[in-house]
Amino acid sequence: MYVRDTIAAISTPVGEGGIGIVRISGPASLQIARSIFNPKSNGGLKSHRFSYGEVVQPETGDLVDEAMAVYMKRPNSYTREDVVEIQCHGGTLVVSRILSLVISQGARPAQPGEFTKRAFLNGRIDLVQAEAVMDVISSRTDASLALAQHQREGLLSRRISTVKEGIVYALAYVEALIDFPEDDVNVAVETDVLGKVSPALSELDALIAGFDEGRVLRDGVSVVIAGKPNVGKSSLLNTLLKEKRAIVTSVPGTTRDLIEEVVNINGLPVKLLDTAGIRESEDQVEQEGVRLSLDRIPKADLVLFVIDGSSSFGEDDAAILQAIGSKSCIVVRNKSDLPLAVELPAECTAPVVAISTLTGEGIPQLRDAITNAFMHGHAIDGREFVALSKARHRDALLKARESLQSFVENLEAGVNMELLPVDLRDALDAVGEVTGETTADDVLDRIFSSFCIGK
């Protein structure tokens, strides 16, 4: 239940910094701010104007810190409630003291995501936009940030809204025919209704089809670099990272542990995992590294199978290829600066990219191949890309599509008119789960509990 009390929290990260922000939202925000903040100007706190002054202990008048305060009168605020933000010097102690003062004057500590939850409950944003707020904060590449910003701005919500409009039109039409059977609402009901439902189905198909690309932009992907010793796996990691992260020597078996780094590849957040060279060994430490490498291959989203293009395809290579199995894979033929000597077996049907970690040849093509393995050739231009990125959204829209398709089939089969609204209402409820109109309270609690406190 939404309790219209006043909440407060620190909205900046813990630790030392240039500024710290204490945010207050609710009906007593202005009253609380006035009790602890003394503005230096006679104008006091005016809506949407910064005021310079001092935060003081209300009982004694002792100075806590000099600060800036801004009052945002409802409904023109983040939560559509009265909001006050106090900006003081950054530092754990001073910010905590100001928050304690605010709470002592009648506010309560905010729960994780409670400010954004109030923005949602007060109708300022829908649930898609609310969830996108955390995606904006956690974005790791320009492309994933652009996708999150598009969702936060409502571009995805508008596409979902067109689906809803088609369903609502069809439901109103069918219910009118049921309620007023003696009136000739439209003898071409099937054509008219399908003219609205068909575009809604097409839009659902397009949104669902784009989920895989949206998901990988939001969550990133796991890519394992696998191969036998001394084929250039660590050199490839360093080249993709554009820094010397892994030790590279001519001695086989130098890498014995897993090295994990996140890199931006053409806008795609990629978690690269450099593994120990896979081969038969009597060394117990190396054996453990090989075991860990083989254990990670089936868990990866993609395997970069690195081979030495200047030598033959040996037994160790064959064993690695067998371990990869049907896993998505790109064969990286390293040492293209040397004469070609390797010949891949017929069972290896994965795409091949020739590179040289020594000269940099083929690295741009490899980066493109990694991106295309997940984006399937779709452009991820941040100015245009709008997609689903959460399984919750995808699953709800799959239910909506199933119900809408059932409605079309029943309509065309001449099913009793009074049964047709059931599928349409189910579709409408499923769409509402995405935007928050029909989302269960426990789901809402789970979503907002993943937010940071103060947001």
Side-chain angles (χ1 to χ4, degrees), residues 26-61:
S29 297
L30 184 58
Q31 175 187 337
I32 291 172
R34 283 173 171 165
S35 70
I36 66 169
F37 180 76
N38 291 336
K40 290 295 185 179
S41 63
N42 294 329
L45 290 171
K46 295 182 179 180
S47 184
H48 293 83
R49 298 289 180 91
F50 274 97
S51 179
Y52 167 70
E54 295 177 340
V55 177
V56 298
Q57 289 277 0
E59 296 84 4
T60 64

Side-chain angles (χ1 to χ4, degrees), residues 49-323:
R49 298 289 180 91
F50 274 97
S51 179
Y52 167 70
E54 295 177 340
V55 177
V56 298
Q57 289 277 0
E59 296 84 4
T60 64
D62 291 343
L63 175 67
V64 176
D65 196 17
E66 63 175 346
M68 300 287 290
V70 58
Y71 163 55
M72 290 160 275
K73 183 176 176 61
R74 64 182 178 90
N76 299 316
S77 70
Y78 182 66
T79 61
R80 280 195 173 169
E81 300 176 332
D82 285 345
V83 171
V84 174
E85 290 186 357
I86 299 173
Q87 300 186 6
C88 60
H89 290 99
T92 303
L93 181 58
V94 65
V95 178
S96 297
R97 287 187 64 188
I98 292 175
L99 177 62
S100 296
L101 285 179
V102 170
I103 291 172
S104 71
Q105 296 303 301
R108 68 165 173 81
Q111 298 297 313
E114 192 168 3
F115 292 97
T116 303
K117 186 175 184 179
R118 290 191 172 198
F120 162 68
L121 293 174
N122 288 327
R124 181 180 175 274
I125 54 177
D126 64 22
L127 193 55
V128 173
Q129 293 172 287
E131 290 175 287
V133 169
M134 276 307 296
D135 289 347
V136 168
I137 295 171
S138 60
S139 295
R140 290 171 287 178
T141 69
D142 288 342
S144 59
L145 175 60
L147 176 65
Q149 291 286 23
H150 287 169
Q151 293 180 351
R152 186 193 59 78
E153 292 167 2
L155 300 186
L156 178 57
S157 298
R158 286 200 282 275
R159 290 185 63 178
I160 295 173
S161 180
T162 63
V163 174
K164 178 184 174 182
E165 289 170 5
I167 300 172
V168 169
Y169 179 92
L171 182 60
Y173 206 139
V174 171
E175 288 186 335
L177 290 175
I178 295 172
D179 292 340
F180 307 102
E182 67 280 1
D183 296 337
D184 184 17
V185 177
N186 192 336
V187 294
V189 56
E190 185 174 321
T191 301
D192 202 359
V193 170
L194 289 180
K196 293 291 185 180
V197 170
S198 294
L201 274 171
S202 298
E203 185 67 11
L204 283 172
D205 287 337
L207 287 169
I208 293 166
F211 168 72
D212 287 340
E213 287 83 359
R215 178 189 63 81
V216 298
L217 278 182
R218 174 180 178 265
D219 298 334
V221 293
S222 173
V223 175
V224 163
I225 303 174
K228 65 184 182 183
N230 214 30
V231 294
K233 299 185 303 300
S234 296
S235 296
L236 176 58
L237 175 71
N238 292 340
T239 300
L240 291 173
L241 291 175
K242 298 180 181 179
E243 64 176 88
K244 189 173 181 179
R245 173 63 178 84
I247 297 173
V248 177
T249 74
S250 60
V251 179
T254 300
T255 302
R256 297 192 171 197
D257 203 354
L258 303 178
I259 300 176
E260 188 173 283
E261 290 289 341
V262 176
V263 62
N264 176 353
I265 296 183
N266 297 341
L268 187 67
V270 176
K271 182 169 66 176
L272 282 175
L273 188 67
D274 181 22
T275 61
I278 300 173
R279 66 171 178 178
E280 292 290 336
S281 175
E282 298 298 325
D283 188 310
Q284 289 188 345
V285 176
E286 189 174 357
Q287 286 178 358
E288 180 62 16
V290 171
R291 187 192 67 78
L292 289 173
S293 300
L294 292 172
D295 182 60
R296 287 301 185 99
I297 287 176
K299 299 175 182 177
D301 297 308
L302 175 70
V303 178
L304 299 183
F305 177 26
V306 185
I307 61 174
D308 184 347
S310 66
S311 63
S312 60
F313 194 88
E315 293 182 0
D316 289 334
D317 294 308
I320 297 166
L321 183 61
Q322 184 177 7

